[in-house]
Structures are given as C-alpha cells and as structure tokens.
Amino acid sequence: MSNSEHFANIMVQCFIDAVKAGVDLVPVVADSTSTSKIKPFVAEFPDRLVNVGIAEQVMVGTAAGLALSGKVAATCNAAPFLVSRSNEQVKVDVCYNNTNVKLFGLNSGASYGPLASTHHAIDDISTMRGFGNIQIFAPSCPIECKQIIEHAIREMGPVYIRMDGKALPELHDTDYRFVPGEPSLLRKGSKVAICALGSVVHEAVAAADSLIEAGLDVAVINVSSIRPLNRELLGNMLSGMPHVVTVEEHNINGGLGSIVAEVVAEQGLKSQLTRLGVADGNYAAAGDRPYTRKNLSIDSAGIALVCQNLMG
C-alpha cells in the first residue's frame, strides 16, 4: 500500500480481495460509480455490481434484500445522501431487521467543500448513533481503513463506515492492528489530550507535534471505533488530564464531542472539556477544505491555539 491513498480505492480493493477469497459480496450504488471508484471491481466481476440509479432509499432497501438472500451487501455512495435520503431504510431495513449490510459513507464531513451544506455530512455519526444495532467506524489513515473494512466484511450485521474524500497518508506503523472498540494513542502527553476521529486526526497530530516541539505536553487519541467503544479504556486514557479537546468535522452534538462528554461525566473525571467542530445550530462554511477547517478551528493551527490558550 502506498504512503498516501484514497479510502474509496482501498474499499474497492478490499471488495475484490473478499470476492476472490469466496465472500459472496455485492456492492450496491446509487449512480455513484464515480464517487465509489468502483470501476476496477466491475472489471473483475462485471455481473456483481447493482446500480439502482439516483435512488438512495432503493439502494438501501435493495442491499437489505440481498443480505436476506445470504449475500454480504455493501452500499457505496456519498455520506450526505446516504444518511439524509435513506434514513428510514437504514433504521428499519438494516438496523431493526439486523441485515448483513455494510454502509460506506463516502466523501464524509466537508469533503465536498464549496458545494456547501447540501453536500456536507456533518450529522452522520449522530444519526447512526441514534439507531440501535449498528457498528460505527471512522478510519483515519490507509492501514486503519483497510483493517476496518476487512473487519466489517467478516462481521455479521449492520456496519457504517465514515469515509473521507481525499487521499491521506499513514498515521500508524506497519505493525498496527485495529481492535474494534479500542482508541489508539498516537502521541503521549499529560496536560492536554486531543481526541479526534477520521481525517482530522491528521490535523490533531500536526498540532500536537508543533506544541511538543515548543515544549508543551500534549497527547493525541484516535477514536476510530465509535460503536463499539471501550469507554472504560478511553476514560483511563483521559484520567488525570487537566484538559481534553475533541476535534471532529461534524456537529459537536451527537458526535465525538458528545461521546467524550459522556465518558467524562459518567466516570467522574475532572478534566475541562473543549469541543471543536460544527457548533450547535450551525452548518459548516462553504469553501475549500482548508477554509472550512480554519473557520471551525479544526485545522492544525486552530487546534494548537486552543491548546496553548488552555495551558496558559
């Protein structure tokens, strides 16, 4: 695997490998062949792709039907349309009926930048958390993405994977092994813990490295497994931290900020919590990715400034 890779390409290669290994996997798209980068799969298995057209509800319902017939069904389309347009089908056909459907939310967060709020997925995690019976993951880098997808294909039952829309470099060593439920510690520190998920983990690591170079003591925790989540382990990682900062390209309500707030409150931690992301009642600004992240203070410079101010 190259040093920097697009998550959709990793997804497609995982599909190819799974079918070659004997998994009866069928991708379902909603006229999203370009978004899903599915062409190499179709070249290998021309009769295995189902394209329902621009009809997200039909896509999810079809995937549930395929799963009920014994197949591993994988929907592949843009996260904002998967979450918003097929909300009821995900809730009823997939989660409530416990069908073996893997939902890939492509180009999540503000990946679509200038296309603005209609194309931003800043509520996907909160929506999926509101449903019962679905695992939720947000990979941060290629090696983690590959391992999460492989886990999802092996695992029986509903899975949602939040997939970023840009090629990302590695954050973990080659010996990294993803364990469902476990956060991973990327930087050690004792004054501020930055908890992040998905592609903004890169921003958190860059911020921490600049602060560490300046002699400040900052930890970075990658929370790629939203459900399941070992909350006791996360609480232990945060225990004794004077400050905790959460970073997400998502609304601060219902996403990582809420999860960490729950852990801090329920475990009686004394940390002061600061949540960075899309504020209550707002939308992500329309613009390219750097502008949007700067506007939300979730770029590396914004995160570093928040941490510096917290440490005085």
Side-chain angles (χ1 to χ4, degrees):
M1 183 178 293
S2 64
N3 185 51
S4 187
E5 198 161 351
H6 197 293
F7 285 2
N9 289 334
I10 298 170
M11 174 191 74
V12 171
Q13 188 58 52
C14 286
F15 290 174
I16 292 171
D17 293 343
V19 175
K20 287 182 175 180
V23 178
D24 194 4
L25 184 145
V26 178
V28 187
V29 299
D31 202 31
S32 45
T33 52
S34 176
T35 301
S36 61
K37 303 185 185 299
I38 202 72
K39 188 175 180 180
F41 181 90
V42 177
E44 292 266 5
F45 310 106
D47 299 325
R48 272 197 175 264
L49 178 71
V50 177
N51 188 346
V52 302
I54 305 175
E56 289 81 0
Q57 298 95 328
V58 175
M59 177 188 68
V60 174
T62 299
L66 288 165
L68 288 170
S69 73
K71 300 183 184 301
V72 178
T75 70
C76 315
N77 76 316
F81 309 133
L82 168 67
V83 172
S84 298
R85 295 187 59 80
S86 57
N87 185 286
E88 182 180 8
Q89 285 72 29
V90 172
K91 174 184 175 182
V92 178
D93 297 352
V94 176
C95 298
Y96 181 73
N97 282 285
N98 193 34
T99 50
N100 195 25
V101 176
K102 317 306 170 185
L103 304 166
F104 289 85
L106 306 174
N107 294 348
S108 62
S111 293
Y112 282 119
L115 295 180
S117 297
T118 58
H119 283 62
H120 291 168
I122 59 166
D123 53 4
D124 54 324
I125 292 173
S126 57
T127 299
M128 293 297 172
R129 285 188 72 211
F131 296 149
N133 194 38
I134 185 168
Q135 295 187 35
I136 306 166
F137 304 107
S140 63
C141 67
I143 190 172
E144 186 170 61
C145 182
K146 181 176 186 291
Q147 292 183 28
I148 285 175
I149 294 171
E150 290 171 343
H151 163 76
I153 293 171
R154 290 191 304 267
E155 191 79 357
M156 285 296 295
V159 178
Y160 173 70
I161 304 179
R162 178 182 231 240
M163 306 272 282
D164 200 77
K166 61 178 286 189
L168 294 169
E170 295 290 4
L171 285 170
H172 296 87
D173 296 331
T174 54
D175 61 353
Y176 170 75
R177 294 295 177 267
F178 169 76
V179 178
E182 291 192 7
S184 57
L185 183 65
L186 297 179
R187 297 292 185 273
K188 294 182 179 180
S190 61
K191 300 301 182 184
V192 177
I194 306 172
C195 297
L197 60 76
S199 63
V200 292
V201 177
H202 294 262
E203 305 281 3
V205 167
D209 286 346
S210 68
L211 293 168
I212 292 168
E213 189 175 343
L216 301 176
D217 199 5
V218 181
V220 177
I221 301 170
N222 168 39
V223 187
S224 57
S225 185
I226 305 302
R227 182 192 290 155
L229 175 61
N230 186 332
R231 291 176 174 238
E232 182 177 358
L233 174 60
L234 180 57
N236 290 340
M237 296 170 80
L238 299 177
S239 180
M241 289 285 182
H243 301 281
V244 176
V245 177
T246 60
V247 183
E248 57 193 319
E249 199 169 78
H250 186 277
N251 196 290
I252 61 172
N253 294 325
L256 182 61
S258 290
I259 292 169
V260 173
E262 293 159 14
V263 169
V264 169
E266 290 168 358
Q267 297 188 26
L269 305 182
K270 304 303 182 183
S271 308
Q272 177 186 340
L273 175 62
T274 302
R275 298 183 296 163
L276 301 180
V278 180
D280 186 30
N282 289 339
Y283 292 96
D288 62 19
R289 208 73 175 281
Y291 171 81
T292 301
R293 290 186 171 179
K294 181 178 180 181
N295 184 267
L296 296 171
S297 293
I298 59 172
D299 62 342
S300 59
I303 298 166
L305 181 61
V306 168
C307 293
Q308 282 177 318
N309 290 339
L310 290 172
M311 289 186 285

